[in-house]
Amino acid sequence: MAKSGRQKSMTPAHELESRLVDSAQRYELIFQATNDVIYEFDIVSGVITWNDAFYEKFGYPKKDNASPFGWWLGNIHPDDAQRLKKEYSEWFKSGQSIWEAEYRYRKHDGHYVYIRDRGLLQRGSSGEPVRVIGSLLDITADKQLDRAKDEFISLVSHQLRTPLTIIRLYSEMLTGNIFGPLGGEQKKQVKKITAASTKLISLIGDILDLSKLEMGVLSSHPEPTDVNRLIMSYIDEFHPRALSKGIDIRLETDESIKEVNLDVMIFSRIIHNLLANAIRYSQPSGGKITVSFHKNKDGFLLSVKDKGIGIPKSAQRYVFSRFYRVGNTVNISEHGTGLGLYLVKTMAETAGCKIWFKSIAGRGTVFYLQIPATGMRAT
Ligand code: ADP
């Protein structure tokens, strides 16, 4: 009772003052209690005030929690400092309130760490920059992981794939009699080298794509593409393979479709896989494959239809799973990893597309790719 009586006797000015003191104390507590580095840059005086976390994380001896802007700038890696100064002044002029940058910052022991700096700019009554409140996050571990991912991808793509491609090339040259004629038996054996290296190259390609997907480094960059020409180039590529199985590939397209926004790498991967499967899983006695590309109410629809062995109902829900191969297909083709459709589906979804199929065992399969009316999505 006595307490509430005292509160009642407070004048509005006292009450305001007490609330201000309270909020300043709370701000100070948050500033110091957090584990992240937080700073306040007073643009007018050119002084940066740090919380204690700054001294703990960067090892500098703590004096009075403040340092001149120039001191902070002097600790930034020389290769990043110029860029940063430019970005900073552009930010002040831009009218944007939030800014984010990554740069290397020197710790007291001389080592550089990668920093993500995120600042919020406060302006004065006539719009002039007054103060920046921001946080510094040490992202060195993330950067090291990114580098490890890049190194892995480069190891697989160059150091494994390049020598294999050379093996395949030379074995093809040998069977093509470029280095002089080979005897029948020699040719037969060298062809085995070509087949095995082709299989390995495609497996490495799948593993590379799988790692890119799992590491989250696969992105989609659509650009206007002459889609009919692109599809035709794949049909031409697969023509000899189809012919050798007595298969006829037909293309049904809408000539009025000129360009569609496509990520060429993703689209090519999809059509390549669907066509390879359509040929691979066609009946040995041949048949017909129809590739069509048309407009529909949702955008553009690609379909690849074969009259092959089909996919039994019981297996249909698994075909987009990793490493899954339907039991009956393993006898038909030793090629194939069961990775293709998983990769194709994940890539299609990355690019904002949908993929599905209809199939009747023994009668054939048709795969569909629905592309939005605006084309593939950029990610
Ligand atoms: P694979 O490298 O084995 O072809 P995919 O992921 O591309 O791997 O396909 C998974 C499985 O789906 C294949 O092993 C096959 O059993 C089945 N499949 C895919 N496409 C077809 C098709 N057009 N006709 C029949 N079965 C198919």
Side-chain angles (χ1 to χ4, degrees):
M1 281 303 281
K3 198 177 170 193
S4 66
R6 256 206 314 273
Q7 271 178 349
K8 263 184 202 156
S9 67
M10 258 185 153
T11 64
H14 275 132
E15 209 172 302
L16 184 66
E17 191 187 326
S18 147
R19 265 204 255 146
L20 280 175
V21 169
D22 201 33
S23 113
Q25 279 172 346
R26 253 187 288 152
Y27 166 73
E28 186 60 25
L29 265 175
I30 295 169
F31 195 64
Q32 292 304 349
T34 174
N35 209 15
D36 296 335
V37 175
I38 295 191
Y39 65 87
E40 181 180 334
F41 172 31
D42 184 328
I43 296 166
V44 183
S45 67
V47 170
I48 306 181
T49 308
W50 307 100
N51 67 346
D52 288 349
F54 173 78
Y55 298 94
E56 280 157 28
K57 298 219 161 146
F58 296 97
Y60 289 102
K62 186 178 161 187
K63 286 187 208 120
D64 49 6
N65 277 61
S67 52
F69 180 73
W71 176 80
W72 168 77
L73 206 59
N75 286 330
I76 291 171
H77 195 287
D79 293 349
D80 297 336
Q82 279 308 105
R83 164 181 63 90
L84 217 66
K85 267 202 266 183
K86 196 165 156 253
E87 280 181 23
Y88 227 73
S89 64
E90 279 167 7
W91 174 36
F92 285 4
K93 282 185 231 150
S94 72
Q96 299 266 342
S97 54
I98 301 239
W99 168 83
E100 196 174 294
E102 287 179 11
Y103 52 87
R104 282 159 291 176
Y105 196 76
R106 192 176 53 224
K107 289 171 57 165
H108 188 53
D109 63 11
H111 284 101
Y112 282 95
V113 283
Y114 280 91
I115 293 294
R116 182 171 301 131
D117 185 339
R118 214 173 130 77
L120 177 80
L121 181 64
Q122 192 189 344
R123 292 179 188 274
S125 50
S126 40
E128 78 284 9
V130 172
R131 181 180 291 121
V132 177
I133 304 275
S135 65
L136 305 183
L137 195 67
D138 185 343
I139 53 163
T140 311
D142 296 355
K143 287 279 175 195
Q144 279 164 346
L145 191 64
D146 282 351
R147 205 170 312 133
K149 286 176 187 176
D150 289 347
E151 277 165 12
F152 174 77
I153 288 169
S154 135
L155 174 92
V156 174
S157 54
H158 300 298
Q159 301 184 36
L160 272 175
R161 206 156 46 172
T162 312
L164 263 172
T165 312
I166 294 170
I167 293 174
R168 183 173 62 178
L169 180 71
Y170 277 87
S171 63
E172 278 170 350
M173 283 158 83
L174 276 168
T175 46
N177 296 335
I178 304 280
F179 305 113
L182 290 189
E185 186 57 26
Q186 286 167 324
K187 212 172 227 176
K188 202 171 130 198
Q189 300 307 329
V190 176
K191 275 188 175 163
K192 286 185 188 165
I193 300 179
T194 314
S197 48
T198 302
K199 193 176 169 189
L200 260 179
I201 290 167
S202 125
L203 179 62
I204 289 171
D206 281 357
I207 291 174
L208 190 62
D209 285 340
L210 183 67
S211 2
K212 282 187 191 163
L213 280 175
E214 309 229 311
M215 290 172 184
V217 294
L218 188 113
S219 49
S220 159
H221 303 285
E223 51 187 49
T225 306
D226 182 345
V227 64
N228 287 330
R229 233 174 92 185
L230 189 62
I231 297 175
M232 203 55 225
S233 72
Y234 278 98
I235 292 185
D236 287 345
E237 184 190 322
F238 278 94
H239 196 66
R241 205 186 295 180
L243 216 63
S244 71
K245 279 189 82 175
I247 300 166
D248 182 23
I249 310 184
R250 299 236 176 108
L251 174 63
E252 287 174 3
T253 53
D254 176 346
E255 291 303 321
S256 72
I257 304 173
K258 296 293 174 220
E259 287 189 326
V260 178
N261 274 326
L262 299 177
D263 177 299
V264 174
M265 195 282 286
I266 293 182
F267 187 79
S268 300
R269 188 73 162 87
I270 294 170
I271 189 155
H272 196 277
N273 197 269
L274 297 184
L275 266 174
N277 279 351
I279 296 174
R280 194 181 287 160
Y281 304 117
S282 277
Q283 305 285 7
S285 54
K288 192 170 87 178
I289 292 173
T290 312
V291 180
S292 90
F293 193 84
H294 289 289
K295 282 185 191 148
N296 67 358
K297 68 175 180 28
D298 296 319
F300 303 94
L301 187 69
L302 167 80
S303 67
V304 178
K305 181 175 173 187
D306 66 59
K307 292 187 180 295
I309 58 166
I311 303 170
K313 236 186 163 54
S314 60
Q316 292 190 359
R317 54 197 277 234
Y318 302 112
V319 296
F320 286 113
S321 310
R322 279 199 301 177
F323 299 110
Y324 182 78
R325 304 194 70 205
V326 181
N328 63 346
T329 54
V330 182
N331 309 328
I332 288 181
S333 160
E334 60 186 69
H335 292 284
T337 55
L339 268 176
L341 285 178
Y342 168 78
L343 292 170
V344 155
K345 185 169 195 285
T346 320
M347 286 183 182
E349 287 168 359
T350 301
C353 303
K354 267 200 282 184
I355 188 161
W356 72 97
F357 66 90
K358 287 182 190 155
S359 186
I360 301 175
R363 301 266 296 274
T365 307
V366 48
F367 274 89
Y368 298 96
L369 175 78
Q370 178 68 55
I371 303 168
T374 48
M376 285 184 163
R377 184 180 62 198
T379 52

